[in-house]
Amino acid sequence: MPPIITAFERSPDGGKGLARDTRVRWALEEVGQPYEVRLVSFQAMKQSAHLALHPFGQIPTFEDGDLGLFETGSIVLYIAERHAGLLPDDANARARAISWMFAAVNTVEPPILELVTARILEGDKPWSKERLPLVMDRIRDRLRQLSSRLGDADWLDGQFSAGDLMMVSVLLRLRASGILDEYPNLSAYVARGEARPAYQRAFAAQLAVNTR
Ligand code: GTB
């Protein structure tokens, strides 16, 4: 029985690949693991059957036999630990790749999510215009540091890993803001991630759902 993930019945982004099921699909594609998708509505996400899998009523979830997981970081790590291709064999390199996974969701993604909050959820507040530059500068701080670490390398630490998969997925959320273009090596890094055949298959699969 292949693992089953959940995804939006209809993603608010209309298939731009920004909903977080894309990173899980990408990981599964990288390791060649077939999977099934259960589509859920916003309403179904808040009901007990889904809440039993995801305490916060969100997507994606991941079911493998009688194991149920939530949180994309833990799902991608689970996939990467059980299949070859997303984590190096060398123990130290493996630990460093996992550090990059945590850095993506714990250090780089939070200010990016702040931008979404500032623009969309708080866009109509009187103080929103004043706050936006502060949020943008917090993102720039992180991007500058990341850009300097990446330098002219293709990937963050040697070969492509689950750390890059998570980092590229997080950075993709910034594309529409134009801020990524201020860091040409990061912009090229994201494009390299998107060009991977596994990403292309993951993107196409979520697009097919959202353009039915
Ligand atoms: N930390 C969790 C993880 O990494 O798994 C976050 C999961 C999460 O935020 N899930 C979102 C969700 O289920 C979907 S991905 N939201 C519904 C809810 O909370 O009620 C976030 C997302 C949503 C929409 C867009 N978009 O339209 O561009 C992009 C990303």
Side-chain angles (χ1 to χ4, degrees), residues 8 11-13 18-20 23 42 45-46 57-60 71-72 173:
F8 282 132
S11 175
D13 74 356
L18 299 176
R20 285 182 179 79
R23 51 182 84 163
F42 273 94
M45 272 188 268
K46 309 302 173 199
Q58 296 183 312
I59 60 97
E71 283 298 329
T72 51
R173 194 89 187 256

Side-chain angles (χ1 to χ4, degrees), residues 28-106:
L28 290 163
E29 292 288 353
E30 286 285 349
V31 302
Q33 169 64 58
Y35 62 98
E36 288 176 6
V37 184
R38 191 169 62 246
L39 300 175
V40 287
S41 63
F42 273 94
Q43 197 188 21
M45 272 188 268
K46 309 302 173 199
Q47 284 167 4
S48 55
H50 188 78
L51 286 170
L53 266 172
H54 197 307
F56 308 113
Q58 296 183 312
I59 60 97
T61 57
F62 177 92
E63 292 156 79
D64 190 12
D66 55 14
L67 172 71
L69 293 178
F70 61 98
E71 283 298 329
T72 51
S74 79
I75 297 170
V76 171
L77 183 56
Y78 176 88
I79 296 165
E81 282 186 323
R82 277 155 189 82
H83 301 267
L86 281 174
L87 287 175
D89 291 335
D90 173 76
N92 286 356
R94 205 175 173 89
R96 288 196 304 272
I98 295 170
S99 295
W100 280 116
M101 293 182 70
F102 277 86
V105 293
N106 229 13

